[in-house]
Amino acid sequence: MKNNKYIESKFPTKEINLISVPERIALKPIYMVHRIFARRIGSVFRLIILSALKDEEVDIMEEYYKSHKNDSDTNNKLILDPMCGGGTTLIEGARLGAKVVGIEINPIPWFVAKNELTKVEPEELDITFKKLEKEVGKKIKDMYKTKCPYCGNDAETIYTFWIKKIECPYCKREIKLFKDYIVTYDKDERNFTFVCPNCGTIFEKRHTIGELEVCPKCNFTFNPDIGVVANGHITCPHCNKDFKLIDVLKLKKDPPDVEPFAIDGWCPHCHKRFIKKFDDDDLKLLNNVINEFQSKKDNLLYPRDKIPDGYNTNQMKKHNYKYWYQMFNERQLLAHSLLLENIAKIKDEKIREKFLLAFSENLRSNNMFCYYDKRWAKQNTPLFSRKDFAPVYFPLEQNIWGSRFGRGTFIQVYRRMYEGNKYLFSPFERRYDSKIIKKIELDETINENQWELYCEDAQNLDNIIKKDFDLVVTDPPYFDSINYSEVYDFFYVWLKQVLNYPCFKKDSTKDPNEIIVNKIQNKNIENYKQGLINIFEKSTKKLKNNGLFIFTFHDIDEKSWKDMLDIVKRSGLYVKKIHFYHGENVSGGHFGGQKTVFDSIWVCKKGSKDNINHISIEEAVGKIWIEIENLISSIKSSKYFKLDENDLKIFIYGKTIEIMENYKIKTNFEEIIKIISNDDRFNNILLNKNKKIDDYIT
């Protein structure tokens, strides 16, 4: 009789939390090349795959930190990920010597995964970068010159600060949409840099919140902590009338106008960083660039596509953004177009596509939806930091090629791409011992004969793949959590101009078979369930009889857990075990906000479990409690943090499903959850969400 695999009975929650929590902040180089939405942590998937291929008697953490270059348990095993996204399963499986196959319906994550897995000799990348720097980099840097306010010599513009402006509907005078007049300040909140709302002078001063300030140039007195905009309402500084910005925008056809008001720069001569007013010389340079753009725009490589309706895209359409190019100013459009044109001329396909990947990521930090982190980082906050298209009142334009400082410049994204490519030749893991981080070099490589990748609809899997697999590992979309095609279109409309793959021939990445819940696309919960059943069922048929089907899942809604169980069972699978690990940070906001930090791992097998024991409802509740108590104990021993009510709820849902699937109980999921909710032991947890984790351990 074959031994159970490690993951069928246990998972090292304590150990993986110690690794994954810091790793999600500092991802391995290969995962930092391009933004992937809902990117899962590489260390977790390495451990999932190892735990699924190793017998339960092994020391799994010893296995985690050793090379598997010559390991019969992992080498040449066939692994399928039918919804592979950015390719985490493929990368981690290939490192272990497995043969991996990925299917992804969206062209952008497919293209990202393809290039993450493609090897190029590092010196070839550097040769190409230097050539590109000579051909177009210098020209772009010349677009971002300024004069140093200290020595008067040429200096580098790091950032240009812009402000949106509208006309007051009452007095018809111009209003600059400042939320406050603070440009930046130090960590102690003492030394501030202000912009005068009257004359635009930039000045520094020690300041206490609430104090009035006087402009040193025009003597205008103002409160720098309060601007004209608050919660979408505007108070006109000229006539004091109050109105909603959205009401004014409804009367306009275009997005609000913008104007530059300050520069964050670096002087290589006196080695100083400075913030100064956007002056006449800066305006002259900008106008020269705009004139060049206007004279060349008919032949430039920037997208003219309309922004389609969507749950996320309608955020900016309400602000009158109708075309993708309106997310950029003229200088950005010219620089991006010239850069894309030169990259497209690179002859070697692998090198060309590596640079296209860097170009694509560069777009995220160089558009007019970025804004300045005033305090901590003193750098820009890129688009999609919140997984949406929220317009900002104070856009930040960056030196696209790169200065001494900045975030997401082309120089920086190139270096990230370079390091990601280098990781293919010499992968590593990190061991976290208290505050000491040790880099563990592993004799593993990723070779191109180990992976296959298809930009296809996995609902047609049986027509794409003919082989049978030892293991299926995937991370499916979670109902309506992220509208992938809407956000990936931002990159797609640029790349489709120069890529000739069939999947880049469409107007948009939207696909009628994309599995998601989205009212605007007329996709409801039943569409989602049926699409996922189709993929799960066809993947199950390609799974060997003794293989495991493993997927990660993240949701706090009780019905979603019940729906997922229904999907599993209707796909010809049963649940053997559900594990949990610390997956993502909690983030606020309606769009893409995380309401629990924990992800679940569903370990499933083909068929249905026979010869399972009958137990009473009381026994079932007792077993669920024991599982949750053990889980909380493991979490407590790995990292101290407060468990939220939602975290505890999903532990109950997961462990209820696990017990129900492994025992015969004369009740259903909803009834057990109802019973548990009224059980004093669990009721104590659910009603005391503000208690510390120690209070949950009784």
Side-chain angles (χ1 to χ4, degrees), residues 168-198:
C168 175
Y170 296 99
C171 69
K172 306 302 180 184
R173 295 179 70 179
E174 181 181 273
I175 305 172
K176 295 175 183 178
L177 303 183
F178 284 102
K179 286 186 174 182
D180 57 52
Y181 300 103
I182 300 169
V183 181
T184 188
Y185 55 99
D186 62 18
K187 294 178 182 179
D188 296 327
E189 297 188 17
R190 292 180 181 177
N191 298 301
F192 287 70
T193 301
F194 302 117
V195 54
C196 174
N198 185 54

Side-chain angles (χ1 to χ4, degrees), residues 140-160 263-276 279 281-282 285 331 399 402-405:
I140 293 173
K141 285 192 288 186
D142 286 345
M143 296 181 192
Y144 292 95
K145 283 185 176 179
T146 190
K147 294 291 183 184
C148 173
Y150 298 109
C151 68
N153 287 313
D154 282 346
E156 301 171 352
T157 294
I158 305 168
Y159 299 118
T160 302
I263 282 177
D264 182 347
W266 165 257
C267 179
H269 304 283
C270 51
H271 300 283
K272 288 184 179 180
R273 187 171 179 176
F274 55 83
I275 293 181
K276 69 167 198 173
D279 60 29
D281 288 335
D282 299 316
L285 174 62
R331 180 159 55 184
N399 181 329
S403 173
R404 179 187 174 107
F405 301 95

Side-chain angles (χ1 to χ4, degrees), residues 166-175 234-236 239 241-245 247-249 251:
I166 61 166
E167 181 184 89
C168 175
Y170 296 99
C171 69
K172 306 302 180 184
R173 295 179 70 179
E174 181 181 273
I175 305 172
I234 297 171
T235 301
C236 178
C239 68
K241 294 285 188 180
D242 184 84
F243 55 91
K244 290 182 179 179
L245 174 62
D247 291 337
V248 174
L249 293 176
L251 303 175

Side-chain angles (χ1 to χ4, degrees), residues 82 87 151 154 165 287-288 430 515 528 592:
C151 68
D154 282 346
K165 54 187 183 180
N287 285 334
N288 287 339
R430 301 186 186 105
I515 296 175
Y528 170 88

